[in-house]
Amino acid sequence: MQTTQDTTAEKSPGSLTGRPVISSTGLFTPEESITNEELVESFNAFVDLHNERNADAIAAGAVEALHHSSVEFIEKASGIKARHVMSKAPIIDPETMCPRLDDRDNDEISIMAEIGVLAARQALERAGRDPKDVDAVLCAASNMQRPYPAMAIEIQEALGIEGFGFDMNVACSSATFGIQTAADYVRAGNAKSVLVVSPEITSGHLNWRDRDSHFIFGDVATAVLVEDAAVAPHQHWDILGTKLKTVFSNNIRNNFGFLNRAHPESAGDADKLFVQEGRKVFKEVVPMVAQMILDEAERLELNPHALRRLWLHQANAGMNRLIAQRVLGHEANEDESPTVLDTYGNTSSAGSIIAFHLSSDDLKKGDTGLICSFGAGYSAGTVFVQKAA
Ligand code: COA
């Protein structure tokens, strides 16, 4: 297997345009799904067990009693009704409450690479692209199951792609940062075809015992094929412009790292899982992202009110409603700002790509739209696109 940068682009400079487009996308959805009703039933059973087992300590004031979750709260606060997961039974077992994914031998494909490959194959098929003609694979996701070898290189190997691959993590903005990185390779002539794969097994970083956030996340994998316009299929999306932004914030944080280990069973190590100040995130990120979109539309000389569709990050229905309203100048309907939150939950960086994948075929030649992510860091990314045919 060759892992150095391919120089195909340099071999035929005359034939390439340096104009990046989205040739296709792919989606893998886990079969299993947890409804809010199932989730709340198991959470409340865990709460009852905890309060029963700690009754004396709670009465003495040494341990805090836990409170029930509610289906109504979850749906009203987030818009989420269900989430797909890779490992349902242990998550809704009140004695376990986290996914249990068996370790695999080193000669078996890892689970992140496996679901990434499934999404990537679909993207390749939809573009009619032979893997041999892809130059690079970026595995862009908010969590990696190991530091090395890179999941991207494993995906590259499984698909039979020559060239190079690497992993990158920008939390919920990993996919849009990946798209800009891929687009920059095309713009620079360093690659003509780049796969951006986002396997998001977010159930592994969610604290399923935390009432404030136990309902937020779900699992999925997406893939985006970014190519030079010269090699792209007839049906593609021109990339009109990409913009990235980061602003440091502790309001979404996960302290897990190679110098420590997550122990979901131990309350003392809850910071090794996803932690957030949801209200602050809501208040700070909405204006930041809306302004970023408006500024970038102005730079690209696009009328934001004329955007045909927004494929926004899928974290919270209320945030999306407010951002879409500020960008479009009116309350957006489902056609203008589709949501997949109800069935997928928050799938981190994959959310806006799922929305784009599921709700873009009906647009017409010349229609413009926006893929936009926002999340931990803070990080935000915009990809303005136009349907080419
Ligand atoms: N069931 C029932 N009640 C709950 C609950 C649950 N699961 N979780 C919290 N509550 C209660 C709280 O105790 C609080 O009660 P109080 O008012 O008596 O103190 C009340 O509901 C409101 O809690 P709060 O956490 O302020 O809710 P919220 O309206 O801010 O909604 C989020 C919570 C997380 C859904 C929302 O803040 C959000 O989505 N923020 C943005 C998150 C985001 O995008 N993060 C990015 C992740 S990548």
Side-chain angles (χ1 to χ4, degrees):
M1 187 186 68
Q2 182 190 336
T3 50
T4 53
Q5 185 169 323
D6 188 81
T7 51
T8 316
E10 287 164 28
K11 279 179 212 151
S12 51
S15 61
L16 296 177
T17 64
R19 259 196 322 113
V21 309
I22 293 179
S23 287
S24 62
T25 52
L27 171 66
F28 163 77
T29 302
E31 272 174 33
E32 294 186 327
S33 168
I34 302 176
T35 63
N36 283 345
E37 287 74 13
E38 291 171 308
L39 185 76
V40 167
E41 190 187 331
S42 87
F43 182 88
N44 291 349
F46 151 74
V47 166
D48 292 343
L49 276 171
H50 169 92
N51 290 346
E52 211 177 287
R53 286 172 185 164
N54 295 285
D56 292 345
I58 290 169
V63 170
E64 272 192 41
L66 298 179
H67 301 285
H68 279 184
S69 182
S70 102
V71 171
E72 295 70 33
F73 171 84
I74 294 171
E75 202 174 322
K76 191 159 167 284
S78 69
I80 298 167
K81 296 180 185 163
R83 67 287 294 145
H84 290 274
V85 291
M86 297 296 293
S87 170
K88 176 173 176 173
I91 290 174
I92 57 168
D93 175 353
E95 298 282 8
T96 312
M97 297 190 84
C98 64
R100 291 275 191 239
L101 298 164
D102 291 338
D103 283 344
R104 296 181 176 186
D105 289 342
N106 287 354
D107 53 9
E108 284 180 278
I109 190 165
S110 65
I111 191 155
M112 269 188 74
E114 181 176 282
I115 66 172
V117 163
L118 292 170
R121 275 198 209 287
Q122 194 184 65
L124 293 170
E125 273 162 27
R126 283 164 65 111
R129 177 71 54 242
D130 186 330
K132 290 203 164 33
D133 294 326
V134 175
D135 303 315
V137 177
L138 312 186
C139 181
S142 51
N143 294 280
M144 297 296 165
Q145 76 183 88
R146 61 168 187 265
Y148 46 81
M151 252 57 67
I153 303 176
E154 198 181 1
I155 293 168
Q156 177 195 349
E157 163 88 354
L159 291 171
I161 291 173
E162 295 179 353
F164 68 101
F166 61 89
D167 296 344
M168 54 184 286
N169 175 353
V170 198
C172 286
S173 287
S174 298
T176 54
F177 275 58
I179 291 172
Q180 168 154 328
T181 305
D184 284 343
Y185 284 139
V186 170
R187 289 169 180 139
N190 285 328
K192 59 180 175 3
S193 181
V194 184
L195 258 177
V196 181
V197 187
S198 300
E200 292 284 11
I201 307 187
T202 60
S203 59
H205 85 159
L206 179 56
N207 187 347
W208 295 89
R209 292 181 172 82
D210 173 40
R211 178 172 174 260
D212 288 350
S213 63
H214 76 113
F215 51 87
I216 292 182
F217 286 104
D219 301 336
V220 81
T222 56
V224 181
L225 186 62
V226 177
E227 300 195 303
D228 188 291
V231 301
H234 181 64
Q235 295 277 354
H236 65 257
W237 291 83
D238 289 316
I239 295 180
L240 302 177
T242 55
K243 183 86 179 171
L244 311 179
K245 185 181 176 78
T246 51
V247 178
F248 185 76
S249 169
N250 273 323
N251 289 332
I252 314 172
R253 191 163 176 124
N254 182 339
N255 283 335
F256 180 72
F258 79 102
L259 298 179
N260 58 47
R261 291 188 301 136
H263 294 280
E265 287 81 4
S266 156
D269 278 326
D271 76 320
K272 308 300 183 298
L273 296 166
F274 171 87
V275 179
Q276 76 166 349
E277 296 277 352
R279 279 270 162 102
K280 288 186 187 163
V281 173
F282 199 113
K283 270 170 85 178
E284 292 173 6
V285 170
V286 168
M288 182 185 102
V289 170
Q291 195 55 50
M292 177 185 176
I293 295 170
L294 293 173
D295 290 347
E296 178 64 355
E298 191 180 341
R299 187 181 77 82
L300 296 171
E301 297 179 357
L302 292 169
N303 175 5
H305 294 188
L307 289 170
R308 178 62 188 81
R309 193 164 287 164
L310 307 178
W311 300 279
L312 298 179
H313 175 51
Q314 305 282 315
N316 177 286
M319 287 176 90
N320 286 12
R321 191 169 43 77
L322 288 173
I323 291 171
Q325 186 161 17
R326 289 191 193 186
V327 172
L328 298 177
H330 62 264
E331 178 109 13
N333 58 34
E334 179 64 20
D335 184 62
E336 293 168 315
S337 178
T339 177
V340 300
L341 263 175
D342 48 349
T343 50
Y344 282 89
N346 181 345
T347 48
S348 196
S349 76
S352 56
I353 308 301
I354 306 173
F356 179 70
H357 178 87
L358 294 177
S359 307
S360 54
D361 285 350
D362 60 312
L363 265 56
K364 298 193 173 53
K365 178 180 173 175
D367 282 345
T368 52
L370 167 70
I371 298 169
C372 178
S373 70
F374 38 89
Y378 295 130
S379 59
T382 60
V383 182
F384 281 90
V385 292
Q386 182 166 43
K387 195 151 194 186

